[in-house]
Amino acid sequence: MTKAYADLPALYGRLTGDEKHDWAAASTLDVLWVLYDRVLRVDPAHPDDPGRDRFLLSKGHGPMAFYSVLAAKGFIEESTLDDWLSFGSVLGYHPDRTLVPGVEIGSGSLGHGLPIGLGQAIGLTAGQRVFVLLGDGELDEGSNHEAIAVAGRRGQANLTAVVVDNGSATHGWPGGIAARFAVEGWATATVDGRDHAALERALTTDHPGAPLAVVAEIEKG
Amino acid sequence: MREEFVRVTTEAIEQDERVALVIAAISADRFTSALARHPDRVVDVGIREQAMVGVAAGLALTGHRAVVHTYVPFLIERPYEQVKLDFGHQGVHPVLVSIGASYDEPSTGRTHQAPADVALVDALPGYTIHVPGHAAEVEPLLRAALASDEPVYLRLSQRQNSAPMPATGGLVPVRHGSLGVVVAVGPVLDQVLAATEGLDVAVLYTATARPFDAAGLRAAVDSAAPNVVVVEPYLRDTSAGVVAAALRDLPHRQLGLGVRRDAEVHAYGTVEEHDAVHGLDPAGIREAVRGFLGA
């Protein structure tokens, strides 16, 4: 049985032991929920369906919100959360795609998701879409900028990058994050990263002939 | 060898829609037709080696047999963490194809030399590593690699032996002898044969460095004194560990010849001059083998 957004704090609490405070600070929680609840064409009963959309959590460090959403949507058993990080658990502090159904990439080392997602977007030609979630700090990694340029120039319209911006980049992004994508030919939108309706609208807006970057702004917790 | 790689890969792209190719500017002029005809699986990312590996991994994750190709330092060393994580860690595997082996082009200097490539790839789990010694050995090795889903590194060189050898994956006996066994890997066979002319040593050849043919080495050592010399056209002693493992239960001696580890050679010039510096010219190999065997 799948759960509602209101159930996430309890699931989150099974990972952190504190359902009152930690979950509210998770910068990715709302974006993940909107993606899995309203945007992604994925089916927990068939997590390997070739026709599914791909969601890549590139910012794999501290994946509690991701695991909570996967449990809420039925990709993993809720009880899996209780012994995470133990030797026999499939859930670690960095996710591993070979262990968890519905996890498309093993991540944790920053800057890998967008190039891989671009390759998937190129390789998927039956209408599947690829969504990659990055952090604004992760955007420091040069590998992202290689992929941003290539995807923009290819007009890779089935690729969406979601950048959760909570102002953690060491040297910042003068002129804004969206501008980095726009100059390379991406469609862009910058929205309140807690506003579900705005996130859904941005993530489902048509962007013919261009990849899409959605910058989800979050107040630094 | 590069022309054979281009020919066979271009054919494979036409014949098998699983096959994908990702390059980073290098060799793009040789794949113009494939790039134009198959933009969904033949990609030139420009001079962006991290994206090259990541994009190839994405293609592998969507069911493609991804071939990744560029000059060796930019294929193995620069995006090494991408190779480690974007492929193996994700449970998908590439065919890595390099050109510019060791000091193939001495005039380009150290920036274009990566003699540690085989050692680095060998440090990742599961790789088959081919070091063909002749252009005619490329096709069977590449076709087998494309037909599998396993991790493969195909190391192409501008240097080759005067005649092709069977690319069986194992050690091929070339010459018999009793004082010891000399293993020639890939394009050093001609130098090894010249160096050991008239010496009472067995010579074996292989175009496949990994997995190392331990049984073949053991059989050769059973027919000669247990003195093993491995001559490799890349970092010296790269195969010392696999030789030791193959002969673990047998008292033996071994000598590794290859590109020097102790110093970077700041020099241009010719491949023959670099062979001499590294002791890989026939005179250098002969002197080392005779000293080792007391022959």
Side-chain angles (χ1 to χ4, degrees), chain B residues 49-111:
Chain B
E49 288 83 12
Q50 296 185 75
M52 172 186 70
V53 175
V55 165
L59 286 161
L61 284 164
T62 57
H64 292 87
R65 183 57 165 157
V67 179
V68 195
H69 164 68
T70 191
Y71 217 82
V72 62
F74 320 123
L75 178 69
I76 304 302
E77 292 179 323
R78 191 173 186 127
Y80 188 68
E81 197 224 19
Q82 270 84 7
V83 173
K84 168 191 154 195
L85 291 181
D86 297 0
F87 287 112
H89 179 58
Q90 310 298 339
V92 293
H93 306 294
V95 183
L96 306 174
V97 182
S98 71
I99 52 169
S102 290
Y103 45 86
D104 268 6
E105 296 187 61
S107 62
T108 60
R110 175 68 173 178
T111 62

Side-chain angles (χ1 to χ4, degrees), chain A residues 177-178 188-192 202 213-217:
Chain A
I177 288 171
T188 66
T190 300
V191 298
D192 176 352
V214 174
V215 180
E217 294 182 326

Side-chain angles (χ1 to χ4, degrees), chain A residues 54 95-98 104-107 109 111-112 115-116 118-120 122-125 142-143 145-147 149-150 153-154, chain B residues 39-45 47-52 54-59 61-62 64 81-82 85-86 89-92:
Chain A
R54 306 307 199 262
D96 185 330
R97 78 176 293 272
T98 69
E104 298 285 1
I105 56 164
S107 57
S109 176
H112 289 258
I116 294 175
L118 171 59
Q120 290 184 316
I122 293 169
L124 294 170
T125 54
S143 51
H145 299 273
E146 295 189 0
V150 177
R153 230 66 100 251
R154 287 182 62 90
Chain B
D40 291 334
R41 54 191 173 93
V42 182
V43 182
D44 175 10
V45 298
I47 307 167
R48 297 180 176 90
E49 288 83 12
Q50 296 185 75
M52 172 186 70
V55 165
L59 286 161
L61 284 164
T62 57
H64 292 87
E81 197 224 19
Q82 270 84 7
L85 291 181
D86 297 0
H89 179 58
Q90 310 298 339
V92 293

Side-chain angles (χ1 to χ4, degrees), chain B residues 93-238:
Chain B
H93 306 294
V95 183
L96 306 174
V97 182
S98 71
I99 52 169
S102 290
Y103 45 86
D104 268 6
E105 296 187 61
S107 62
T108 60
R110 175 68 173 178
T111 62
H112 283 56
Q113 297 169 6
D117 59 339
V118 174
L120 288 166
V121 174
D122 191 35
L124 301 171
Y127 270 84
T128 292
I129 302 175
H130 296 307
V131 186
H134 191 279
E137 297 165 23
V138 172
E139 177 163 6
L141 296 172
L142 179 55
R143 291 225 183 257
L146 292 172
S148 89
D149 285 316
E150 298 302 309
V152 177
Y153 176 40
L154 177 59
R155 182 190 205 262
L156 307 181
S157 179
Q158 293 176 27
R159 311 184 71 186
Q160 64 175 0
N161 302 311
S162 53
M165 294 290 292
T168 62
L171 293 169
V172 179
V174 181
R175 193 183 273 168
H176 296 285
S178 64
L179 295 179
V181 174
V182 181
V183 176
V185 183
V188 297
L189 179 61
D190 281 1
Q191 288 104 300
V192 167
L193 289 174
T196 55
E197 186 69 45
L199 299 182
D200 182 20
V201 297
V203 175
L204 306 176
Y205 172 78
T206 188
T208 299
R210 299 289 184 280
F212 184 75
D213 180 7
L217 181 67
R218 186 57 188 253
V221 169
D222 284 345
S223 307
N227 302 313
V228 178
V229 182
V230 178
V231 186
E232 304 175 281
Y234 38 83
L235 203 63
R236 188 177 297 179
D237 281 327
T238 293

Side-chain angles (χ1 to χ4, degrees), chain A residues 59-78:
Chain A
K59 172 186 151 67
H61 193 66
M64 291 83 79
F66 185 42
Y67 293 157
S68 300
V69 171
L70 288 178
K73 289 297 177 186
F75 284 92
I76 54 177
E77 294 289 331
E78 289 175 32

